[in-house]
Amino acid sequence: MTMMSKKKLSQEAFDAAVEDLVDGLGLEIEEAIESACEEFEIQGFCLDGIVKQKGGAEVLAKLPTAMAAAALKAALQGEKEALRSAVGSLGKELEEAANKEDTDEAARLLLASAKADAAELLLTCVDKAESEKDADLLTQSLSSLLRQLSSDHARDHLVQENGPRRLVALLEAAGDEDQEARRVLLLRVCAASMAEQEEGKCGYMSWGLPKIIAGRLASFQGKADKDSLEACCQCVKGILTADDTRPTPLAMEAQFGGEFAKALSMDKDGVTASLLSCLGRVARECSETGWDPDVRECARQVALGLKKIALNDEICKKFVEDSPACVPTLLSFMTSSARDPKGKEVFQAVLQLLRQVSACDTVKKELVERDATEALCDLLEDHERMRSAGERPGGLGTVAIQSVLYVLTNMTLRSPDVAERLADLGGFDRVRQVEASYPDKPKLLRQCCLLVRNSAVRSAKVREVLLKGGMEAVVRRVKERHADQCGDVCAAALRDMGLADYNA
């Protein structure tokens, strides 16, 4: 379940609250605004973009983005050149708003144009450009719409105007090879419109966007198609991210497991198979040309897309059963990117994917057979060597090391043979070194203790190795320092090492 974000607040609701405080309690306008801000913040509302002065709605309507939207509305009734000019002017205002250093001012400008119906107007321009085969106007309108969709109000309006159906229809119509740039732009607009908008995500599912995504991914030919791959993966992540925190039925369903059903549906539409095919294509290109920036980005996008869709065992099994080269490829990417100073983002994306899929027994077995235990232990050793020698002051980074430990924890679960192999490789010496190096990182130390627990519980050999190696003292130090965050797993680790006084 995702972390709850702040609730949305309309300018009209804020203005009404201020007016009630002035009329009902006799407060001065400044006092009323301050009181309203405090009350809404206590209630968990987001005040970004809200005009905190009397008649805020009227102030919004006079901002340059709102004025440009109003001009566009008028231009829709006029000549084509006037329409192009109006779309261009609104796009320029939106671009300037997005580049504002003051994020509150930027949010206010985007809110102003959203309330002036900019999203609906630009969508109308898109339809008009498509019907008249005006490629320049279509691109201009979509680019402006993409900027406008940074506003949650604009995303709401887009859905209300059947935006998902209309955008999917445009994607279906863009079938020619020379329309690739248009398809990419359309996919980016689709992805942007999904943020915190569960109704929109479901609309895209219903109107067949996953099948279009699967088709685009299936035609991926390498880094030359990087933009298309990135846009498709953004859509996959957008649909499968439960980020709409409003108390609507669809949003609540998504927050409590609805993404699993969507992932299964997307898998049946061919998205998983197409992403696995893309992984193979990136691997071949990497072997041919090496890790250039575009290949790195393709690898990162595929890994993140696969991580997002791999939400149950049925899907995870396909990483082995339908794509025998998948696990070896991921391990190869992991080790090569870890040693590449420019490969940090690929390394972290692959580790996130391995964290996700290593909980599946089929994948876990494949990881063991492909010597993942050895590879992960080598990473822990490389981290300490880089850090100690000053080669890389932060080594591989604590986030990466926590992920490595997480994968090992999954692999040792109910697998004493893996735990014993880890012991033979000196893996628990690395765990002790992590505790010594990062005594004030409770999340990292909690993962260490979980690994110890999984490894000890089914193997007398591992318990002996842990106790002789001083792991009891390590776990007790963690327990003493971080009782609130690690106390439970520390007690469990001590218990599974065979210690009677594990609660002491």
Side-chain angles (χ1 to χ4, degrees):
M1 181 176 165
T2 57
M3 184 179 293
M4 298 295 284
S5 61
K6 290 189 175 183
K7 295 181 285 188
K8 300 173 185 177
L9 178 68
S10 70
Q11 183 68 51
E12 290 78 8
F14 183 82
D15 291 348
V18 171
E19 188 175 344
D20 286 345
L21 290 169
V22 171
D23 295 342
L25 298 181
L27 298 182
E28 295 294 328
I29 186 66
E30 292 81 5
E31 294 176 307
I33 291 171
E34 183 178 355
S35 179
C37 288
E38 291 176 355
E39 182 62 29
F40 282 122
E41 286 176 348
I42 290 171
Q43 294 178 32
F45 283 94
C46 176
L47 298 181
D48 291 349
I50 295 295
V51 177
K52 302 172 184 70
Q53 56 184 282
K54 184 177 180 180
E58 296 176 4
V59 174
L60 281 177
K62 296 177 181 177
L63 291 177
T65 47
M67 300 292 284
L72 175 58
K73 184 175 183 178
L76 274 167
Q77 309 303 319
E79 298 294 326
K80 183 174 289 188
E81 287 306 314
L83 179 60
R84 283 179 176 166
S85 176
V87 172
S89 296
L90 176 56
K92 182 181 178 181
E93 292 293 346
L94 292 171
E95 184 176 10
E96 290 180 359
N99 291 331
K100 294 284 185 184
E101 292 185 6
D102 185 336
T103 56
D104 191 56
E105 182 183 1
R108 189 158 51 247
L109 287 164
L110 289 167
L111 176 62
S113 50
K115 287 193 164 296
D117 300 330
E120 301 96 306
L121 294 168
L122 288 168
L123 199 55
T124 299
C125 291
V126 168
D127 289 340
K128 184 177 179 67
E130 175 65 13
S131 66
E132 297 177 1
K133 307 301 180 185
D134 189 331
D136 291 339
L137 179 60
L138 181 62
T139 299
Q140 195 178 27
S141 300
L142 285 171
S143 299
S144 297
L145 180 58
L146 182 60
R147 297 187 185 100
Q148 179 61 73
L149 289 172
S150 298
S151 164
D152 54 2
H153 291 272
R155 296 192 294 272
D156 291 345
H157 291 173
L158 185 87
V159 171
Q160 291 165 10
E161 295 297 317
N162 294 315
R165 175 182 61 77
R166 293 159 73 178
L167 290 168
V168 169
L170 287 169
L171 276 166
E172 290 173 336
D176 297 337
E177 287 301 319
D178 61 356
Q179 294 182 318
E180 181 62 18
R182 179 188 303 184
R183 279 193 293 269
V184 170
L185 187 51
L186 279 164
L187 285 166
R188 286 175 174 164
V189 171
C190 291
S193 70
M194 296 173 191
E196 300 178 334
Q197 194 15 283
E198 190 60 32
E199 187 179 351
K201 300 175 201 283
C202 293
Y204 284 115
M205 293 284 292
S206 298
W207 290 106
L209 181 59
K211 289 183 179 179
I212 294 175
I213 292 170
R216 297 310 310 148
L217 291 171
S219 65
F220 174 72
Q221 294 299 314
K223 63 182 182 181
D225 295 330
K226 177 177 71 72
D227 290 343
S228 179
L229 173 68
E230 181 179 6
C232 287
C233 289
Q234 285 174 350
C235 287
V236 172
K237 290 179 279 186
I239 290 173
L240 294 174
T241 300
D243 55 0
D244 188 341
T245 59
R246 294 173 294 184
T248 64
L250 286 175
M252 295 298 289
E253 181 183 349
Q255 292 167 37
F256 290 93
E259 67 268 27
F260 289 93
K262 290 206 288 283
L264 283 171
S265 177
M266 294 179 76
D267 175 65
K268 290 176 182 176
D269 285 335
V271 174
T272 309
S274 294
L275 281 168
L276 289 171
S277 174
C278 290
L279 181 67
R281 184 67 188 86
V282 173
R284 289 192 295 274
E285 190 161 40
C286 182
S287 67
E288 294 166 2
T289 66
W291 282 113
D292 72 24
D294 287 343
V295 173
R296 284 195 198 95
E297 182 59 19
C298 287
R300 187 181 78 90
Q301 289 294 337
V302 173
L304 292 176
L306 283 168
K307 184 250 181 184
K308 206 64 188 177
I309 202 169
L311 291 181
N312 73 355
D313 270 11
E314 182 180 337
I315 297 173
C316 289
K317 286 178 181 178
K318 295 186 176 185
F319 285 54
V320 176
E321 296 171 353
D322 295 355
S323 182
C326 175
V327 169
T329 296
L330 292 175
L331 292 175
S332 174
F333 281 4
M334 178 186 75
T335 54
S336 60
S337 60
R339 295 176 176 87
D340 179 0
K342 298 179 180 179
K344 181 179 179 181
E345 291 187 346
V346 177
F347 178 53
Q348 291 182 339
V350 172
L351 277 178
Q352 287 179 42
L353 173 56
L354 289 173
R355 282 181 58 153
Q356 183 83 1
V357 300
S358 58
C360 169
D361 286 342
T362 302
V363 176
K364 180 164 65 175
K365 180 181 177 182
E366 182 74 0
L367 285 168
V368 172
E369 292 177 355
R370 298 291 183 171
D371 297 330
T373 315
E374 289 80 356
L376 292 163
C377 280
D378 287 345
L379 288 179
L380 292 174
E381 187 172 350
D382 288 347
H383 167 75
E384 185 55 33
R385 175 183 52 77
M386 291 175 184
R387 201 179 66 83
S388 301
E391 181 181 334
R392 268 194 235 175
L396 298 175
T398 55
V399 173
I401 292 306
Q402 186 174 336
S403 293
V404 169
L405 293 168
Y406 193 106
V407 177
L408 285 169
T409 301
N410 281 344
M411 291 176 63
T412 53
L413 180 65
R414 302 186 304 276
S415 301
D417 54 333
V418 178
E420 290 171 6
R421 179 59 180 154
L422 182 61
D424 292 341
L425 291 167
F428 297 110
D429 294 335
R430 305 278 78 79
V431 172
R432 284 192 292 273
Q433 186 61 56
V434 169
E435 185 272 338
S437 300
Y438 304 102
D440 298 319
K441 297 285 186 180
K443 291 183 180 179
L444 181 59
L445 297 176
R446 181 180 177 87
Q447 197 62 56
C448 289
C449 293
L450 284 168
L451 174 57
V452 169
R453 180 191 177 186
N454 279 5
S455 301
V457 68
R458 291 173 182 255
S459 173
K461 174 184 174 179
V462 171
R463 288 195 290 273
E464 182 179 357
V465 169
L466 291 171
L467 292 172
K468 284 185 177 179
M471 190 62 74
E472 177 186 358
V474 170
V475 175
R476 290 196 185 278
R477 280 197 298 272
V478 175
K479 189 171 186 281
E480 182 178 355
R481 285 195 205 105
H482 306 290
D484 290 344
Q485 293 166 281
C486 303
D488 56 340
V489 295
C490 288
L494 292 168
R495 180 196 65 212
D496 292 336
M497 281 192 285
L499 299 166
D501 59 342
Y502 58 87
N503 274 324

